[in-house]
Amino acid sequence: MVERLKGIYGISWFEETGADYPVRVFLYKDQVSVALDTTGESLHKRGYRKLAARAPIAENLAAGLIALTPWREDRILVDPFCGSGTIPIEAAMMAAHMAPGMHRGFLAQGWPHLIPKGVWNDAYEEAREEVCRIEHCDIQGYDIDPKMVEIARANAKAAGVDGMIHFQARPVSQLSHSKKYGFIITNPPYGERLEEKEKLPALYRELWEQYQKLDSWSLYFITSLEDVEKIMGRKADKNRKIYNGMIKTWYYQYLGPKPPRRNTGSER
């Protein structure tokens, strides 16, 4: 590429100054793709997570897990292993119609001769106009570690959704809710880095026991732990293989009943 540019511009040396223009080369079978990286920092990083747990789930994966469920902003969502708050925060952002990149910048913003600054400003303004904060959302995040709860609250504030989520230091043994038709969407410990594997079956059984006490709820969780269905004592309604980083995991889905339809029309 440099040799070609030498011929085009008639020079033999290119100063390493000015903006960065990273080139990404991808090889797949017999095809090569060459692209300019307009993003810079990976797109899965939304920009709000200044502090994180030891094994945080990627923001885009958390959003994807939520999107694979029927959850909507008028339904309850609880994450009993919330860590740095990623799943509840992504849910709140989805409920508020927040664009994923609102809280971050992009490398191409430093290329004004290609993309004028006004274009970026218009895009950010359009995204801000779409935001509709819903204060009555019932989104909750629990973690047994009070320090992680404080981190989750700080991240939610950075994301602009702190008023939409209730975080609390609480073990999974205290998971409860009085209302029906809620969702548990969570990323429990795998035993890879957070805990010893021999301790995990008891933790997952505890999650299952508390879930069974809830009225008409659905349970969704991602894990690399094998034989989880044996631990739970019931086969999942759905199961999807997903890679969490380099770790092969499964997304187990235990589906609760649908709530009755609301009568929005007038009676005749």
Side-chain angles (χ1 to χ4, degrees), residues 173 175 177 208-215:
S173 60
L175 171 62
H177 203 290
W208 181 253
E209 289 169 3
Q210 295 307 115
Y211 163 66
Q212 288 186 303
K213 295 176 184 178
L214 298 168
D215 190 354

Side-chain angles (χ1 to χ4, degrees), residues 218-237:
S218 300
L219 170 62
Y220 296 78
F221 65 94
I222 183 172
T223 183
S224 66
L225 190 66
E226 297 181 359
D227 298 326
V228 166
E229 291 170 314
K230 291 182 180 179
I231 295 171
M232 300 301 202
R234 178 184 145 190
K235 186 175 177 60
D237 297 300

Side-chain angles (χ1 to χ4, degrees), residues 48-228:
Y48 64 78
R49 198 164 68 182
K50 309 302 181 183
L51 300 168
R54 289 174 58 194
I57 190 170
E59 295 97 310
N60 61 337
L61 177 56
L65 297 181
I66 298 167
L68 287 171
T69 78
W71 179 80
R72 296 294 181 268
E73 62 270 13
D74 60 344
R75 305 281 293 275
I76 305 159
L77 187 152
V78 176
D79 179 358
F81 301 99
C82 74
S84 52
T86 308
I87 290 176
I89 291 171
E90 289 293 325
M93 289 178 66
M94 293 166 73
H97 299 173
M98 283 189 179
M102 278 188 62
H103 305 287
R104 58 161 292 164
F106 301 88
L107 187 64
Q109 287 175 279
W111 305 347
H113 60 295
L114 292 179
I115 307 175
K117 186 177 180 180
V119 173
W120 291 103
N121 292 340
D122 291 345
Y124 278 111
E125 182 60 29
E126 183 180 349
R128 285 190 289 268
E129 289 176 354
E130 290 294 322
V131 175
C132 180
R133 288 170 57 93
I134 304 173
E135 300 295 343
H136 61 269
C137 268
D138 193 345
I139 301 174
Q140 303 181 28
Y142 307 145
D143 200 278
I144 196 170
D145 185 351
K147 292 182 179 179
M148 291 311 308
V149 172
E150 290 305 312
I151 287 173
R153 286 175 179 154
N155 289 336
K157 186 175 183 179
V161 294
D162 48 320
M164 298 175 62
I165 310 171
H166 174 69
F167 289 108
Q168 186 176 358
R170 182 191 292 194
V172 69
S173 60
Q174 295 181 17
L175 171 62
S176 64
H177 203 290
S178 60
K179 295 184 179 179
K180 301 176 68 172
Y181 306 116
F183 288 77
I184 298 172
I185 306 176
T186 190
N187 176 40
Y190 300 170
E192 303 288 339
R193 289 162 287 182
L194 295 177
E195 294 184 21
E196 297 297 328
K197 281 188 178 292
E198 59 265 22
K199 297 180 182 179
L200 293 183
L203 186 68
Y204 281 73
R205 276 194 293 270
E206 204 163 36
L207 171 63
W208 181 253
E209 289 169 3
Q210 295 307 115
Y211 163 66
Q212 288 186 303
K213 295 176 184 178
L214 298 168
D215 190 354
S216 305
W217 279 49
S218 300
L219 170 62
Y220 296 78
F221 65 94
I222 183 172
T223 183
S224 66
L225 190 66
E226 297 181 359
D227 298 326
V228 166

